[in-house]
Amino acid sequence: MPRIQQLPTNVITKIAAGEVIERPASVVKELLENSLDAGSTRIDIDIEAGGSELIRIVDNGHGIHPDDLELAFSNHATSKLMTADDLFAVRTMGFRGEALASIAGVAQVTLQSRPTDEQVGAELVSNGGDLSGVRVWNGASGTRIEVRHLFFNTPVRRKFMRTASTEMGHICEIFTRIALAKPGIHLTLKHNGKNVYEVSSTMDLLERIGLFFGKEVRDQLYAIDAQQGPAHLFGYIADPGCDRGNAKTQYLFLNGRWIRDRSLGHALQEGYRGLLMTGRYPIAFLFLEVPPDQVDVNVHPTKSEVRFRDAGALYTFFLATVRNRLNAENLVSRLQAPAQPSANGGYFTPRPADATPSLFSKPGFPTFTKNPVSSVVNSPLSVASDIAPSGQLLDSNVATEEETTDEPVATDDGPRATDARPELPEVLNAIQMHNTYLVVETADGMLVIDQHALHERILFEQIKARVREGSLDVQQMLIPEPVELSAEQAALLLEHRKDLDALGLSIEDFGGNTVIVTRYPALLDGRSPAEILKRVVDHLMSKERVPTREQLLSDLMSLMACHAAVRSGDPLTPEEIAALVEMRHLANDAHHCPHGRPTALLFTRQELDRQFRRI
Ligand code: ADP
Ligand code: MG
């Protein structure tokens, strides 16, 4: 029988560090917060090798008294909290008194500090928790802390660290959050001696947003400012046209601290209801101020989640504020305006030559070969549930997405999935409906095909074949186009450079957070390289885990196929309809559908007869 024993302090510290210090960015976060709590007006950060070699933070705050240096490195030692009641009146970033102890336990740390009103300061070194004696230190007033060889004594953790550029991306994200939350403070960030960001104290929030997210975002923001009872909400929300494929560009700060809140995130999304396609997210920079007794910040080790006393009221407040602001821009009516009536009756009528680009004019449009494979039609029962998660990459128009989502799920009486069919039925007739669906009469029923989904499928197969043969057409840029990104995005893209290259999308590091596009797949002609790149980056960032190379290739191929395919809303010529219908077997191939969404529904003659009570 194992006996119980008290754990030694160094083990306790490592366990605690496991919660607070997950990666180099966590160290940067904790140290920056300490510098802020010390009233610093300038903070300089130096990183080496993504933080695995060195994280150095120098501030001009009030410093630490020499007699307190050892305490600073011990667990549950803090100058920010005295009694349990103080927990409900927290006005500082830190209060748990465990960050420095945790960091000191898993790295080699030198802490040097001189209080503003002292002539000399002191320094203390921790080697994985073993402390040197306190020595005199004669540096500038403020605090200087160097963290070297993070996780040197916890090899498992060290192995979990990703490439320097990825870790640096996370650090940049932390830096961005602090810089947005604390205008008025001068902040600099260097990586391997090179300047990454310099944010001067005079730059206001809008300028900071411009610095981190580019002019495109900055120029499409609407300011909001609203008060409800003691709650004050202010900041910016972006025009729905400037949306993203994930929620990462939604920043919420509570009393000056970046937080994540599902409920308020949902309220924001609801505020944009009807203005965004499924799977698209608004950009927002929101600051919420509530009295400290209205919120419990002590529910999460890194304090990134909180509990509000009246979460329901805040939700309504959020939603109403966002909605009203968007209403004021008349965005809602703009979107709900009736769609342009189609010029084309839909039934094999030729359309003017200047209408939407022809299916055939798209570079790389497949040459059709008849390929009578057996097929399975996706079950209509999967329609509703398939759309939400996979809709992310799909670009069909809003009305269509909404209609499809809102449509009642087919019941037992609805169209049925059929079993594998031995041969493709002969097509008797095909028409386009709502510029979106192809309705095909077959000998034994009726097939309704989603034109975008089918074309996308066809292109996907073709791209796959071309990538395999290495014969994908690429477009060399005469003048390489610079694309400005966030540091995290740039790092992520550069990390996947080889895979992108295999798809004909070549990028190079241009310094700063700018990446230049030198080549892109000809199939994507007509789309701006910036747009393509942002799609790719959104896609990469939406993944929880690092995709394998195969997954990534497949994802990117479907992204390309999606981009190049005809959209819902594009009128098609009879030839185009015929060409698509010719390839309809692909619509039925549930297994390889790039997004897992059904591309066709089959209504058998028998089913129709039964519905109309003929049999
Ligand atoms: P907490 O921030 O939760 O109090 P930490 O472990 O992060 O706990 O820090 C312990 C204490 O060390 C702080 O309460 C503060 O008094 C002191 N301290 C840490 N960093 C600094 C700094 N940069 N400037 C001044 N004091 C600091
Ligand atoms: Mg702290």
Side-chain angles (χ1 to χ4, degrees):
M1 176 191 59
R3 301 293 302 269
I4 300 174
Q5 53 172 344
Q6 186 68 48
L7 286 174
T9 321
N10 65 342
V11 179
I12 295 176
T13 307
K14 276 188 189 161
I15 293 174
E19 276 195 333
V20 189
I21 308 302
E22 191 195 341
R23 60 187 342 148
S26 339
V27 174
V28 175
K29 170 181 179 289
E30 294 297 334
L31 298 182
L32 269 178
E33 292 190 348
N34 282 346
S35 296
L36 292 173
D37 284 344
S40 313
T41 54
R42 177 176 181 130
I43 309 172
D44 295 293
I45 310 165
D46 269 284
I47 307 291
E48 275 172 29
S52 64
E53 285 305 305
L54 172 72
I55 296 168
R56 182 193 300 121
I57 301 206
V58 181
D59 70 40
N60 64 354
H62 59 51
I64 306 172
H65 193 280
D67 296 347
D68 287 353
L69 271 197
E70 276 193 18
L71 262 183
F73 274 155
S74 69
N75 243 317
H76 308 298
T78 177
S79 57
K80 303 169 191 174
L81 191 77
M82 307 286 277
T83 68
D85 286 348
D86 294 347
L87 271 178
F88 297 94
V90 172
R91 295 211 172 262
T92 48
M93 307 287 281
F95 57 84
R96 298 168 64 108
E98 57 189 13
L100 277 190
S102 300
I103 297 166
V106 293
Q108 288 151 348
V109 183
T110 305
L111 173 62
Q112 301 166 318
S113 192
R114 175 159 77 81
T116 326
D117 46 6
E118 300 280 331
Q119 289 310 307
V120 283
E123 76 170 6
L124 179 63
V125 177
S126 163
N127 190 351
D130 296 334
L131 300 189
S132 70
V134 177
R135 283 188 294 257
V136 168
W137 179 71
N138 282 313
S141 73
T143 303
R144 190 175 186 279
I145 178 159
E146 282 187 359
V147 178
R148 291 184 186 273
H149 309 128
L150 183 64
F151 301 136
F152 79 101
N153 55 352
T154 49
V156 180
R157 265 288 149 106
R158 195 155 172 102
K159 263 194 218 129
F160 272 107
M161 273 199 276
R162 306 254 322 267
T163 61
S165 63
T166 300
E167 294 300 346
M168 194 56 205
H170 287 279
I171 291 173
C172 288
E173 178 59 28
I174 295 293
F175 184 88
T176 305
R177 290 174 191 168
I178 300 272
L180 292 178
K182 306 284 170 185
I185 294 183
H186 188 129
L187 293 161
T188 67
L189 177 64
K190 283 187 183 167
H191 189 209
N192 299 333
K194 279 201 286 187
N195 275 333
V196 181
Y197 287 119
E198 166 129 31
V199 187
S200 83
S201 58
T202 53
M203 286 178 90
D204 64 11
L205 176 60
L206 209 51
E207 287 171 292
R208 291 179 181 215
I209 292 174
L211 174 74
F212 294 114
F213 303 95
K215 196 173 163 331
E216 179 223 347
V217 171
R218 182 197 153 141
D219 292 348
Q220 298 191 66
L221 297 177
Y222 304 121
I224 60 164
D225 197 335
Q227 183 90 33
Q228 178 177 284
H232 182 201
L233 176 64
F234 61 96
Y236 297 97
I237 55 175
D239 187 277
C242 181
D243 61 356
R244 290 289 181 268
N246 59 55
K248 288 194 178 164
T249 325
Q250 295 176 357
Y251 287 81
L252 172 61
F253 300 91
L254 168 72
N255 297 345
R257 183 200 305 282
W258 177 89
I259 61 159
R260 204 171 24 213
D261 190 282
R262 261 169 184 268
S263 163
L264 296 181
H266 189 263
L268 173 68
Q269 196 77 28
E270 278 296 297
Y272 278 78
R273 195 184 184 70
L275 297 171
L276 295 172
M277 290 181 296
T278 310
R280 303 297 293 174
Y281 298 82
I283 292 177
F285 305 94
L286 295 173
F287 295 78
L288 178 64
E289 302 284 340
V290 300
D293 64 349
Q294 294 293 307
V295 53
D296 186 355
V297 287
N298 189 28
V299 294
H300 193 268
T302 64
K303 307 174 212 87
S304 57
E305 280 165 34
V306 300
R307 204 179 292 127
F308 291 106
R309 240 189 216 176
D310 195 350
L314 275 180
Y315 181 93
T316 323
F317 175 44
F318 244 69
L319 174 56
T321 306
V322 171
R323 198 70 195 166
N324 289 341
R325 188 63 186 89
L326 295 173
N327 274 334
E329 289 299 321
N330 224 9
L331 293 169
V332 178
S333 54
R334 185 172 85 194
L335 208 95
Q336 285 168 353
Q340 292 262 312
S342 117
N344 156 1
Y347 198 136
F348 286 88
T349 39
R351 68 198 167 85
D354 63 348
T356 325
S358 153
L359 196 61
F360 298 100
S361 70
K362 287 182 179 292
F365 192 78
T367 38
F368 292 132
T369 49
K370 198 160 184 170
N371 181 13
V373 293
S374 61
S375 51
V376 181
V377 175
N378 245 353
S379 163
L381 286 171
S382 63
V383 171
S385 61
D386 278 356
I387 284 171
S390 56
Q392 192 145 315
L393 294 172
L394 288 168
D395 226 357
S396 22
N397 80 28
V398 177
T400 316
E401 289 267 353
E402 290 224 320
E403 268 165 34
T404 333
T405 321
D406 292 342
E407 234 165 39
V409 175
T411 61
D412 258 2
D413 297 334
R416 284 269 166 91
T418 56
D419 291 320
R421 305 174 61 79
E423 238 167 71
L424 272 184
E426 185 199 350
V427 170
L428 304 175
N429 239 324
I431 56 168
Q432 187 188 28
M433 294 255 186
H434 301 291
N435 290 337
T436 297
Y437 298 108
L438 306 179
V439 178
V440 183
E441 180 189 1
T442 64
D444 60 354
M446 178 177 97
L447 195 60
V448 183
I449 298 174
D450 176 329
Q451 68 186 34
H452 170 77
L454 173 57
H455 192 206
E456 187 183 12
R457 268 293 294 140
I458 297 170
L459 289 176
F460 180 78
E461 284 307 316
Q462 200 177 36
I463 295 168
K464 203 161 81 179
R466 298 227 176 141
V467 168
R468 206 183 295 128
E469 296 162 5
S471 66
L472 196 73
D473 292 335
V474 294
Q475 185 82 44
Q476 198 79 36
M477 305 276 293
L478 277 178
I479 304 161
E481 177 158 329
V483 181
E484 198 187 324
L485 299 153
S486 77
E488 190 186 4
Q489 292 173 331
L492 197 62
L493 274 177
L494 290 168
E495 196 177 322
H496 291 291
R497 192 144 111 189
K498 274 215 184 106
D499 299 315
L500 297 175
D501 217 51
L503 287 163
L505 181 60
S506 303
I507 55 168
E508 272 165 38
D509 190 355
F510 192 62
N513 302 324
T514 304
V515 159
I516 51 174
V517 179
T518 55
R519 256 174 15 133
Y520 65 94
L523 209 73
L524 296 178
D525 213 14
R527 318 232 162 223
S528 84
E531 186 193 341
I532 300 169
L533 224 52
K534 285 192 176 152
R535 274 307 186 102
V536 171
V537 95
D538 272 351
H539 178 66
L540 288 172
M541 289 178 84
S542 67
K543 299 275 170 231
E544 286 272 300
R545 256 162 245 242
V546 201
T548 63
R549 191 159 182 269
E550 285 67 37
Q551 278 164 349
L552 185 73
L553 274 178
S554 162
D555 287 347
L556 293 180
M557 287 190 298
S558 54
L559 193 69
M560 276 164 61
C562 179
H563 263 284
V566 290
R567 325 238 127 188
S568 62
D570 286 352
L572 302 179
T573 62
E575 297 75 35
E576 291 167 345
I577 295 174
L580 274 176
V581 168
E582 185 87 355
M583 298 289 275
R584 71 193 178 285
H585 61 275
L586 287 174
N588 300 340
D589 188 348
H591 278 301
H592 299 98
C593 171
H595 300 305
R597 212 165 85 133
T599 49
L601 299 175
L602 177 68
F603 299 78
T604 62
R605 173 73 203 265
Q606 200 190 16
E607 191 67 53
L608 292 170
D609 287 347
R610 203 169 64 80
Q611 288 289 326
F612 289 105
R613 314 258 138 77
R614 286 181 179 278
I615 50 169

